[in-house]
């Protein structure tokens, strides 16, 4: 079998799912070189070479790539930080390794303000009402407050506050979730404004879906829709997280969506793609430059934001059921020849297990935390036994987890996810939950309602109601 060397830049179970998909290639013997944020047990086991770069800085990743340049055919990147920091530009300049991710210029995730202006230009109908408050236009504290309050009057206080830079300040805050008074909005706003421009936009009511697409610079190939569960606790309570789980239905759309919703999303993303691509092709857009968070409303889909990388956990819903060989997909992306990809007609459900402090769980539910287990090793054996029992229908992808002297420990972020694959959402969910419950130790916890029948029915009812407005 032909050997192929692949560089994977990893943070979390999203990259473990990529490594898994490459390792399962039937057309190539994949040798994987992983630059990882930590000693991820899955990646360590699968990789030919593995290096830990805790801050995933571009220079060190590039050094690693350079060291194995003669063995690596291409690279792929999971997390946003190195993409936004221009990893592709540096690696392609310093080595002959082509990278599958957008260049710095096309990593539009880096600026929420630039995204809003871009959407305004090409698809204004999907933008909520928004205003940008830029410290460059600063006059006085009183004036900033006056301008902000005038805008809050127009939106009846129902707003989302978003810093331009995804990593700056206090992050996104939403009326009703993070604040209930004007003063609280102002406080949240100021905490972000200190670092740079802040968007104050209309809060949108609806049901969310995640749109992802592969791109070879010439073609945009939409992937099936997924639904992310952002809030920490059951019934969508608690703070926003990186995502506690997600689901995908058997086909390309979700139970609360119509095919017209999907077509509209594809139309919008193609408009954005064409605007950035210009005439012909633009290899700068290679990878997953468009992972759009959509919200379906009484006025059709609106866009919350765009990310320039695969979603976590959303890509874990898709890679395990990709019918095409993932290595072939990557070669087609590099050749500008990816016109379609095929998926098995399966539903998938991802559930994450996370540490006691994640999402403030230990503070809100102290009585639920098993203190004897905190910081103790996490045992994945039970889940692996189930994966064997159920064949390929369960996948276990460690995330913020570290291998230490033969044992695995949870770090601070999401620890490990289990993907269940089934003929319908509920059977996929049963497998995901069975796998997650078989993971012991570390005082880890998970949401119990990811893809539950009740949760999905609620979304369907909500959309029905919105559509009649
Ligand atoms: N699922 C949220 C994210 O990947 O940003």
């Amino acid at each position: 079998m032909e050997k192929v060397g692949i560089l994977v830049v990893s943070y979390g179970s999203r990259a473990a799912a990529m490594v898994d998909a490459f390792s399962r290639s039937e057309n190539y013997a994949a040798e994987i070189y992983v630059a990882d944020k930590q000693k991820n047990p899955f990646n360590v086991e699968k990789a030919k070479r593995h290096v830990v770069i805790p801050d995933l800085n571009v220079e060190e990743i590039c050094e690693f790539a350079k060291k194995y340049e003669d063995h690596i055919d291409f690279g792929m990147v999971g997390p946003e930080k190195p993409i936004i920091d221009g990893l592709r530009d540096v690696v392609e300049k310093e080595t002959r390794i082509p990278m599958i991710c957008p260049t710095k210029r096309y990593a539009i995730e880096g600026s929420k303000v630039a995204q809003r202006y871009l959407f305004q230009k090409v698809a204004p109908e999907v933008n909520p009402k928004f205003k940008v408050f830029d410290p460059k236009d600063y006059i006085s504290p009183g004036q900033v407050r006056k301008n902000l309050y005038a805008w809050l009057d127009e939106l009846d206080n129902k707003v989302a506050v978003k810093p331009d830079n995804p990593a700056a300040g206090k992050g996104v805050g939403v009326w009703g979730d993070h604040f209930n008074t004007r003063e609280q909005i102002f406080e949240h706003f100021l905490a972000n404004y200190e670092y740079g421009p802040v968007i104050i936009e209309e809060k949108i009511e609806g049901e969310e879906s995640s749109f992802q697409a592969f791109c070879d610079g010439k073609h945009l190939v939409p992937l099936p829709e997924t639904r992310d569960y952002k809030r920490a606790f059951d019934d969508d309570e608690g703070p926003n997280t990186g995502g506690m789980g997600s689901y995908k239905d058997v086909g390309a759309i979700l139970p609360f969506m119509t095919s017209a919703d999907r077509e509209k999303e594809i139309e919008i993303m193609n408009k954005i793609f064409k605007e950035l691509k210009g005439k012909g092709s633009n290899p700068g857009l290679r990878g997953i430059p468009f992972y759009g968070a959509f919200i379906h409303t009484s006025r059709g889909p609106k866009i919350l934001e765009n990310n320039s990388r695969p979603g976590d956990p959303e890509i874990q819903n898709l890679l395990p059921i990709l019918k095409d060989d993932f290595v072939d997909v990557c070669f087609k992306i590099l050749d500008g020849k990816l016109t379609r990809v095929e998926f098995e007609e399966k539903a998938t459900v991802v559930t994450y297990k996370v540490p006691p402090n994640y999402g403030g769980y230990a503070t809100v539910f102290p009585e639920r935390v098993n203190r004897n287990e905190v910081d103790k090793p996490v045992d994945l054996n039970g889940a692996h036994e189930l994966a064997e029992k159920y064949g390929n229908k369960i996948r276990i992808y460690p995330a913020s987890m570290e291998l230490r002297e033969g044992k695995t420990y949870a770090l601070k972020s999401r620890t490990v996810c289990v993907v269940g694959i089934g003929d319908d959402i509920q059977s996929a969910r049963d497998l995901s939950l069975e796998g997650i419950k078989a993971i012991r130790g570390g005082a880890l916890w998970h949401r119990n309602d990811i893809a539950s029948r009740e949760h999905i029915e609620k979304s369907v009812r909500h959309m029905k109601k919105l559509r009649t407005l």
Side-chain angles (χ1 to χ4, degrees), residues 14 80 109 210 212 228-230 241-246 291 293 305 307 309-316 414:
R14 165 180 45 199
E80 58 273 26
E109 179 168 358
S210 302
Q212 301 174 87
D228 184 18
Y229 283 69
K230 289 213 171 58
T241 66
M244 298 294 291
S246 52
Y291 147 32
E305 63 182 21
N307 301 301
R309 38 111 191 153
D312 181 352
E314 294 99 317
I315 204 70
Q316 291 94 298
R414 294 173 290 178

Side-chain angles (χ1 to χ4, degrees), residues 191 193 199 239 277:
Y193 189 66
I199 307 171
K277 175 174 77 76

Side-chain angles (χ1 to χ4, degrees), residues 247-297:
Y247 69 85
K248 173 205 169 282
D249 205 347
V250 175
I253 63 171
L254 298 169
F256 56 83
M257 287 176 69
T258 63
S259 347
D261 293 333
R262 165 84 168 165
E263 276 156 30
K264 183 73 190 166
E265 287 189 8
I266 294 175
E267 179 197 316
I268 292 158
M269 286 322 226
N270 266 308
K271 279 188 191 170
I272 298 168
F273 172 50
K274 285 197 179 118
E275 174 70 19
L276 296 180
K277 175 174 77 76
K279 285 206 173 74
S281 100
N282 181 348
L285 288 161
R286 214 188 269 154
I288 300 194
F290 305 116
Y291 147 32
F294 277 93
I295 183 154
H296 299 272
T297 76

Side-chain angles (χ1 to χ4, degrees), residues 219-239:
H219 313 96
L220 195 65
V221 181
L223 308 180
E225 299 284 331
T226 51
R227 163 64 175 247
D228 184 18
Y229 283 69
K230 289 213 171 58
R231 305 292 285 274
F233 310 138
D234 283 6
D235 298 321
D236 296 321
E237 299 286 347

